[in-house]
Amino acid sequence: GAVVSQHPSWVICKSGTSVKIECRSLDFQATTMFWYRQFPKQSLMLMATSNEGSKATYEQGVEKDKFLINHASLTLSTLTVTSAHPEDSSFYICSASGQAVAGSYNEQFFGPGTRLTVL
Amino acid sequence: SQQGEEDPQALSIQEGENATMNCSYKTSINNLQWYRQNSGRGLVHLILIRSNEREKHSGRLRVTLDTSKKSSSLLITASRAADTASYFCATDRAAGNKLTFGGGTRVLVKP
């Protein structure tokens, strides 16, 4: 299957700093990338959907100015958590899918996640 | 908001026993998928069942889908300690490619 990587796998930062997380599709062109957040012992919550070359679409309740998403190429999307606070501590997971084919399911391939801890 | 709800939230069984978990959803779907997540790790795709399918098998996994009841079940037969993980259902809504995840079932398989 297709491989998606995330970097870093974990990060610890001080409150008020910004953190950038990268999501890369290693062996396919990702037309669409998705960013999820998962708190301990909870499910994945979709934060935003990004299409290459256009602005991300954020889910209700997700602050677009706090969680900056850039999808500048077909293999890379970045999520920047600006002015991070302890409540932003979470597991951030990205997924990527390629060009949709009409009538076929467009599978999402998930990255291994990034553990963010804000002190 | 979470469309899928799963039960039980947690399940503890002995190695060799079967594990069954259920997922319910609210709106029409294209597909329903099941994923496994080991603690602190990413998701592993297990199986996809389309809305026009009723049952699907993959190795020790059996998935059923009842669109009239808007529910699905995942059965793991002859469980192993390595099956210890959280299991999530995810629905692919008819309107697009977004996945909506259920709350998950934490399965503990005791050796």
Side-chain angles (χ1 to χ4, degrees):
Chain A
V3 180
V4 175
S5 69
Q6 281 184 241
H7 178 80
S9 56
W10 60 270
V11 56
I12 302 172
C13 70
K14 292 183 179 179
S15 187
T17 61
S18 294
V19 175
K20 181 185 285 187
I21 301 169
E22 293 184 349
C23 177
R24 292 182 186 273
S25 57
L26 299 185
D27 50 5
F28 71 103
Q29 293 187 325
T31 310
T32 305
M33 286 186 170
F34 303 86
W35 286 96
Y36 298 84
R37 181 168 51 183
Q38 184 181 31
F39 292 108
K41 295 188 177 181
Q42 294 189 25
S43 186
L44 282 75
M45 294 291 291
L46 179 65
M47 299 175 67
T49 304
S50 75
N51 292 295
E52 185 265 338
S54 60
K55 287 184 179 179
T57 303
Y58 290 81
E59 295 298 303
Q60 193 172 10
V62 178
E63 299 174 58
K64 62 179 181 180
D65 294 330
K66 180 168 184 65
F67 298 99
L68 302 179
I69 292 172
N70 183 283
H71 191 169
S73 79
L74 284 171
T75 59
L76 174 64
S77 176
T78 60
L79 167 68
T80 301
V81 183
T82 62
S83 186
H85 291 283
E87 58 265 30
D88 298 322
S89 297
S90 187
F91 194 52
Y92 292 86
I93 303 175
C94 73
S95 70
S97 61
Q99 184 66 45
V101 176
S104 297
Y105 172 66
N106 196 20
E107 185 172 357
Q108 288 184 34
F109 301 95
F110 285 82
T114 297
R115 172 79 57 197
L116 170 63
T117 302
V118 185
L119 302 177
Chain B
S1 62
Q2 289 293 323
Q3 168 166 241
E5 296 296 329
E6 292 183 58
D7 78 275
Q9 291 185 338
L11 183 60
S12 179
I13 56 175
Q14 291 293 140
E15 206 166 26
E17 294 180 340
N18 296 340
T20 300
M21 58 211 87
N22 304 292
C23 166
S24 61
Y25 57 92
K26 296 175 183 175
T27 64
S28 61
I29 62 170
N30 273 339
N31 310 284
L32 186 143
Q33 301 177 75
W34 286 90
Y35 290 87
R36 184 184 74 222
Q37 183 182 38
N38 289 83
S39 181
R41 308 292 289 274
L43 296 180
V44 174
H45 184 261
L46 295 177
I47 198 165
L48 177 150
I49 186 165
R50 301 185 190 283
S51 59
N52 61 354
E53 296 176 310
R54 292 297 167 257
E55 187 171 314
K56 206 161 183 181
H57 296 256
S58 177
R60 294 184 294 112
L61 305 180
R62 173 178 168 254
V63 168
T64 64
L65 178 64
D66 186 335
T67 52
S68 67
K69 294 181 179 179
K70 292 185 169 59
S71 67
S72 173
S73 68
L74 170 67
L75 167 68
I76 305 172
T77 59
S79 63
R80 304 167 181 167
D83 295 328
T84 294
S86 290
Y87 292 83
F88 296 93
C89 67
T91 53
D92 172 17
R93 281 175 274 177
N97 194 36
K98 289 183 183 181
L99 292 179
T100 302
F101 284 83
T105 295
R106 294 190 306 278
V107 175
L108 171 64
V109 181
K110 294 179 280 188

